[in-house]
Amino acid sequence: MGRNKTYDRANALTKARDLFWAKGYEGTHLQELVEATGMNRFSLYAEFGGKEGLFLEALGNYIDEANSTYDRLLCSEPLGLANIRDYFGDIRFSRDYAGCFLINTLTEKHVVTSEAFKLARRTAKRAQELFLRNLEAAVVSGELSEERDAVALSKLLITIDQGLAIYGIVTPSNRDKSGIVGQLDALLGPSIDAATSPA
Amino acid sequence: MGRNKTYDRANALTKARDLFWAKGYEGTHLQELVEATGMNRFSLYAEFGGKEGLFLEALGNYIDEANSTYDRLLCSEPLGLANIRDYFGDIRFSRDYAGCFLINTLTEKHVVTSEAFKLARRTAKRAQELFLRNLEAAVVSGELSEERDAVALSKLLITIDQGLAIYGIVTPSNRDKSGIVGQLDALLGPSIDAATSPA
DNA sequence: CCGATTTCAGAACGATAGGTCTAGAATACT
DNA sequence: AGTATTCTAGACCTATCGTTCTGAAATCGG
């Protein structure tokens, strides 16, 4: 009973996400959110509780998508270096906008709510954990020398992952990113065969 | 003639830089700047022209320091891999605050003035250029195999450089960063002797 | 010590921020 | 059709934004 909504909740979240993504929390004003989402202020408050709630849910929306990419590429059996190569091979397609919303939120640590910041940080740590699992599997299978420090390497990989988002702001060229990702062979070994030349 | 200033310009710039660094352009409010710098609003406008001018000059101040670090470590003769190792060896000491002001500004692309954004981007590109020069010198001296793609590798290095700033927000541990930097041996060869094992 | 000059402290400005409220339009049950 | 309910559009609220202005305090030349 009652009047029908003229907005679509999922679409509104997407539009809000894009705005927060591009302009950050403080840089995005409620009036812009109203115009972009097609919601009036009243409905925006009834639905999301306000700017903070909308931000948190928009970030959650972004992170859900990011996690599904992580799951698809970094959790597929068998775990190993191929997953990591696939992930970085895919990266240049997925993030070509204004960097990465998750990372932008990390840099806004002292502006967003601690809940939002922790959500972003938790997601970043999860990605590192997934890298690590694949590296450890690669050591077990002999793909990666057991002399390599898998933990440190997983941290380097998440560092590169995050760095690519920043690099994409400075140089939004997918061709460039491909060149960078190609350099990972030096870290993981070429993709054809496993690294089989210990010193 | 006239009353003496009660503020120190250089100190005010440092304080403003720290605020913008931590909270970004929109996240930093004029009242906070007034309190942190010790300047009254009138003087702040007379001296810097307003919030935008103060931001630009604070960013310039940060970038001048960053460039002097780049110059000291990446321009010392002879150019080569040792410079790059020194740079990354030094990095864990220099950036332990809320990430990197330069990178935060990049993520605020759609919020800051285009002048500020371009200043940040120009600095990032210069760093990449310095990496490249050292890599090319390393190829000439035989430190680095000439089969390596120095351009792509320089892009990977700046990606790691930028990624470390983000990583430091998620995990502000210098020990962690040391572990990551140690992994660079796999990219550049161990630091004792040059990489001398072509396929 | 006086008048010109410069800075200070903070009041005041218009604009706009995030948030709330209301009158009316649209819907669904009876 | 009537009525209760739900949403819309936008006016409205207070607070605060970045900015400007004002009168008093401090400094210097004469």
Side-chain angles (χ1 to χ4, degrees):
Chain A
M1 178 184 282
R3 188 170 175 172
N4 288 338
K5 300 176 181 180
T6 59
Y7 63 91
D8 175 62
R9 193 181 199 277
N11 178 258
L13 264 181
T14 301
K15 294 292 173 55
R17 179 202 63 187
D18 289 347
L19 262 181
F20 282 129
W21 188 349
K23 312 186 71 173
Y25 181 73
E26 293 256 7
T28 304
H29 303 268
L30 207 58
Q31 187 57 34
E32 301 174 283
L33 290 166
V34 165
E35 288 163 8
T37 60
M39 302 175 74
N40 59 74
R41 290 161 115 87
F42 182 90
S43 301
L44 196 151
Y45 271 77
E47 192 79 54
F48 300 108
K51 190 184 178 185
E52 279 189 8
L54 180 54
F55 181 85
L56 190 62
E57 202 147 349
L59 177 62
N61 178 68
Y62 179 89
I63 283 179
D64 286 345
E65 286 185 23
N67 273 333
S68 80
T69 299
Y70 286 138
D71 290 345
R72 179 169 54 84
L73 296 171
L74 293 179
C75 293
S76 77
E77 298 287 345
L79 300 187
L81 296 188
N83 281 353
I84 293 177
R85 292 195 193 93
D86 285 348
Y87 175 78
F88 281 102
D90 187 76
I91 218 173
R92 63 186 184 280
F93 301 118
S94 56
R95 286 195 309 210
D96 48 346
Y97 191 28
C100 164
F101 188 16
L102 191 155
I103 288 173
N104 292 359
T105 302
L106 291 175
T107 68
E108 283 199 288
K109 174 176 181 177
H110 298 99
V111 172
V112 301
T113 63
S114 73
E115 190 177 359
F117 175 75
K118 286 175 185 168
L119 174 59
R121 184 172 56 184
R122 196 184 319 135
T123 307
K125 292 200 168 183
R126 177 168 183 273
Q128 185 203 317
E129 177 65 26
L130 294 183
F131 282 134
L132 179 58
R133 277 188 220 161
N134 281 282
L135 290 173
E136 286 174 339
V139 169
V140 169
S141 72
E143 263 189 310
L144 195 68
S145 162
E146 59 187 9
E147 292 175 8
R148 297 293 293 276
D149 181 345
V151 172
L153 186 50
S154 74
K155 291 174 184 170
L156 175 57
L157 289 177
I158 188 67
T159 296
I160 293 172
D161 187 28
Q162 291 164 345
L164 280 169
I166 305 295
Y167 188 89
I169 302 175
V170 177
T171 311
S173 148
N174 285 337
R175 207 156 58 81
D176 258 32
K177 289 188 196 169
S178 299
I180 293 174
V181 169
Q183 289 299 306
L184 292 184
D185 287 350
L187 273 178
L188 305 174
S191 54
I192 306 299
D193 51 356
T196 53
S197 58
Chain B
M1 178 184 285
R3 187 171 176 172
N4 288 337
K5 299 176 180 180
T6 59
Y7 63 90
D8 175 60
R9 193 180 199 276
N11 177 257
L13 264 181
T14 300
K15 294 293 174 55
R17 180 203 63 187
D18 289 346
L19 262 181
F20 282 129
W21 189 349
K23 310 186 70 172
Y25 181 74
E26 292 255 10
T28 304
H29 303 230
L30 208 61
Q31 186 56 34
E32 302 175 282
L33 290 165
V34 166
E35 288 163 9
T37 60
M39 302 175 74
N40 59 74
R41 291 160 116 87
F42 181 91
S43 301
L44 194 151
Y45 272 77
E47 191 80 52
F48 299 109
K51 191 184 178 185
E52 280 189 6
L54 180 54
F55 181 85
L56 190 62
E57 201 146 349
L59 177 63
N61 177 69
Y62 178 89
I63 283 179
D64 285 346
E65 286 185 24
N67 273 333
S68 80
T69 299
Y70 286 138
D71 290 345
R72 179 168 54 85
L73 296 172
L74 293 178
C75 292
S76 77
E77 299 287 344
L79 300 186
L81 297 188
N83 281 353
I84 293 177
R85 291 196 194 92
D86 285 349
Y87 175 79
F88 282 101
D90 187 76
I91 218 174
R92 65 184 182 281
F93 301 118
S94 57
R95 285 195 310 210
D96 48 347
Y97 192 28
C100 164
F101 187 17
L102 191 155
I103 287 174
N104 292 358
T105 302
L106 291 174
T107 68
E108 282 200 288
K109 174 176 181 177
H110 298 99
V111 172
V112 300
T113 63
S114 73
E115 190 177 0
F117 175 75
K118 285 174 185 167
L119 175 59
R121 185 172 57 185
R122 196 185 319 133
T123 308
K125 291 199 169 183
R126 178 168 183 273
Q128 185 202 317
E129 177 66 25
L130 294 184
F131 282 134
L132 179 58
R133 277 187 218 163
N134 282 283
L135 290 172
E136 286 173 340
V139 169
V140 169
S141 71
E143 260 189 312
L144 195 68
S145 162
E146 59 186 8
E147 293 177 6
R148 297 293 294 276
D149 182 344
V151 171
L153 186 50
S154 74
K155 290 173 183 170
L156 176 57
L157 289 177
I158 186 68
T159 297
I160 294 172
D161 187 27
Q162 292 164 344
L164 279 170
I166 305 296
Y167 188 88
I169 302 175
V170 177
T171 311
S173 147
N174 285 337
R175 206 156 57 83
D176 259 31
K177 289 188 196 169
S178 299
I180 294 174
V181 169
Q183 289 299 304
L184 292 182
D185 288 350
L187 273 178
L188 305 174
S191 55
I192 306 297
D193 51 357
T196 54
S197 57

